[in-house]
Amino acid sequence: VYNDQLFAGGVHSVFLADWELLCRTPMVIRNGQQITYRDSASTKTRYHDLQLKWQSKDSQGFEVAALHYGYEIRGTHVDRYHFVPPSSIRGALRSWSIRHLIHPTLYPALSQPPKDDADGIAAHKICLQKGLEKRNTGCELIASLFGLAADESDTDMPSNAGRLHIETERFAGTGLRPVDVSGVSMKTADGPENARREMAVRNPLDHITHASLSGGLHHFLEVRSGETFKVHLRIINPLDCDLGLVGLWVRELNDGMLRIGALSSIGRGRMEVQNQAYELWTRYNAPRLKGHAFLREEAESIRSNDILAGIWMRYAVPPETLPKFADYLKDFTGGCADVSLS
């Protein structure tokens, strides 16, 4: 039965997962900003003296959708860098989990309707209560891992903070300012330079006439295939089913069924888990996982500077053991066929 007091007994264990993801196809992470590029070519079919500027469109330039970036202040300079926001990883994992572990009739339970949609809010409440009544609907697992939000004024709605926390590292390249445009190098005078990028063009079709949509032609920046970045997952008070679900995510990422970023429908965002490492840290009196026999106790850690080192017990979790935890998902999903790792 659903319990919104997930940490009432304190924190007794932490599961840590480290991934290095390789972009098998280009990846699009937008931030809503439009920047400008200039083309000195006399025709639209040839590029000449391309220049990208990280500023709003001017009268002599063309708009291009920017690639997500952050910035930091170093001395008197502001340095910008590309990175994949943790929210993109979290959203992709949550969406895949909902689609594959929850029956479609319960989808409204985990989708917050607009405040002015009275009928939608009523349906959301009924569906959420129905989904949380029984453990095997999958709703409890999703709410426990990713959290459950509710309007502050609605005290009857359940809510809780999620046990899953995600961090990402920036792309590690340097001096990569030029942008590839169909084999032509586009100069950039400023902006991030820590990832290889390319500018693509897209022209959506009209759904009625199947002709080019008027005004639909647009350019956007994307991370080129072959780039890598690191993701760190932390699950508080992990259950056996959590480890099984992580194994599912790895499988689906490698198979191209779980993608990161936008435009996955046209082939963007396919990843490969190039490197992976897992650790479980527990208090000496922490509840044991049912799959404890799959773990390997070790004194040394790749995180020798971790605040838990020397205080809690550490277990290494070999990647090949994650599939063995998949059966524990059946208690939360009613034995859904999608949870099989065989």
Side-chain angles (χ1 to χ4, degrees):
V1 179
Y2 170 74
N3 176 20
D4 60 355
Q5 304 296 321
L6 297 178
F7 306 109
V11 175
H12 55 70
S13 54
V14 179
F15 176 70
L16 303 175
D18 295 326
W19 291 343
E20 184 179 17
L21 299 184
L22 168 69
C23 297
R24 295 298 302 272
T25 64
M27 178 176 58
V28 181
I29 304 290
R30 294 173 174 168
N31 65 353
Q33 182 181 0
Q34 298 288 332
I35 55 180
T36 184
Y37 78 95
R38 294 181 180 181
D39 183 4
S40 301
S42 57
T43 66
K44 294 183 179 180
T45 58
R46 295 289 186 270
Y47 294 117
H48 178 67
D49 192 22
L50 290 172
Q51 294 184 1
L52 179 69
K53 294 184 177 295
W54 287 82
Q55 61 187 35
S56 301
K57 177 181 175 297
D58 54 30
S59 58
Q60 298 179 343
F62 303 92
E63 279 189 339
V64 54
L67 187 63
H68 187 85
Y69 67 93
Y71 62 89
E72 62 183 359
I73 299 176
R74 292 186 176 181
T76 59
H77 300 283
V78 177
D79 291 336
R80 285 174 281 194
Y81 56 87
H82 290 302
F83 75 105
V84 179
S87 58
S88 293
I89 306 295
R90 181 184 182 277
L93 298 180
R94 183 177 184 271
S95 296
W96 183 92
S97 302
I98 291 174
R99 291 197 311 271
H100 291 80
L101 304 183
I102 293 181
H103 195 276
T105 58
L106 293 176
Y107 286 173
L110 299 169
S111 177
Q112 193 78 17
K115 292 184 178 181
D116 57 355
D117 184 0
D119 293 337
I121 293 176
H124 169 69
K125 288 183 178 180
I126 295 173
C127 200
L128 182 59
Q129 293 169 355
K130 180 181 177 182
L132 294 177
E133 283 178 357
K134 297 181 179 180
R135 168 164 287 186
N136 64 0
T137 62
C139 289
E140 179 185 353
L141 177 60
I142 302 298
S144 171
L145 267 181
F146 296 96
L148 198 60
D151 194 295
E152 293 182 355
S153 61
D154 197 340
T155 57
D156 295 333
M157 291 296 291
S159 63
N160 64 269
R163 295 183 295 112
L164 172 65
H165 301 265
I166 300 176
E167 297 178 358
T168 60
E169 295 184 20
R170 68 185 68 177
F171 293 97
T174 57
L176 302 174
R177 278 191 172 166
V179 175
D180 180 77
V181 185
S182 301
V184 178
S185 179
M186 177 164 61
K187 300 177 182 178
T188 58
D190 50 14
E193 56 177 20
N194 64 316
R196 293 184 303 125
R197 302 154 296 177
E198 58 190 18
M199 185 176 74
V201 61
R202 187 167 182 241
N203 189 9
L205 300 180
D206 188 291
H207 294 297
I208 303 300
T209 65
H210 298 286
S212 296
L213 187 66
S214 177
L217 183 67
H218 60 273
H219 296 78
F220 56 92
L221 295 180
E222 57 187 9
V223 177
R224 296 186 65 179
S225 59
E227 292 294 280
T228 61
F229 63 98
K230 294 182 179 180
V231 178
H232 306 288
L233 287 73
R234 182 173 72 251
I235 301 179
I236 309 297
N237 294 350
L239 306 173
D240 293 85
C241 61
D242 298 332
L243 276 65
L245 187 54
V246 171
L248 275 174
W249 291 339
V250 171
R251 183 196 71 179
E252 297 297 283
L253 283 166
N254 288 333
D255 288 347
M257 303 306 294
L258 198 170
R259 302 197 175 206
I260 308 298
L263 303 181
S264 60
S265 61
I266 60 172
R268 272 29 177 210
R270 179 168 183 172
M271 300 288 128
E272 176 186 327
V273 183
Q274 198 169 40
N275 294 296
Q276 52 185 315
Y278 306 98
E279 293 182 354
L280 176 67
W281 294 79
T282 70
R283 290 191 325 213
Y284 287 91
N285 60 346
R288 278 197 168 191
L289 295 177
K290 296 178 182 178
H292 181 80
F294 303 140
L295 308 180
R296 185 174 68 243
E297 184 175 355
E298 294 185 356
E300 298 297 326
S301 168
I302 58 176
R303 302 177 180 84
S304 57
N305 61 340
D306 195 287
I307 61 173
L308 301 178
I311 302 176
W312 285 12
M313 298 179 64
R314 173 190 174 267
Y315 297 90
V317 185
E320 61 271 15
T321 65
L322 292 181
K324 300 177 182 179
F325 287 89
D327 287 342
Y328 298 107
L329 273 167
K330 294 179 180 178
D331 294 336
F332 290 86
T333 63
C336 174
D338 279 350
V339 305
S340 173
L341 278 171
S342 59

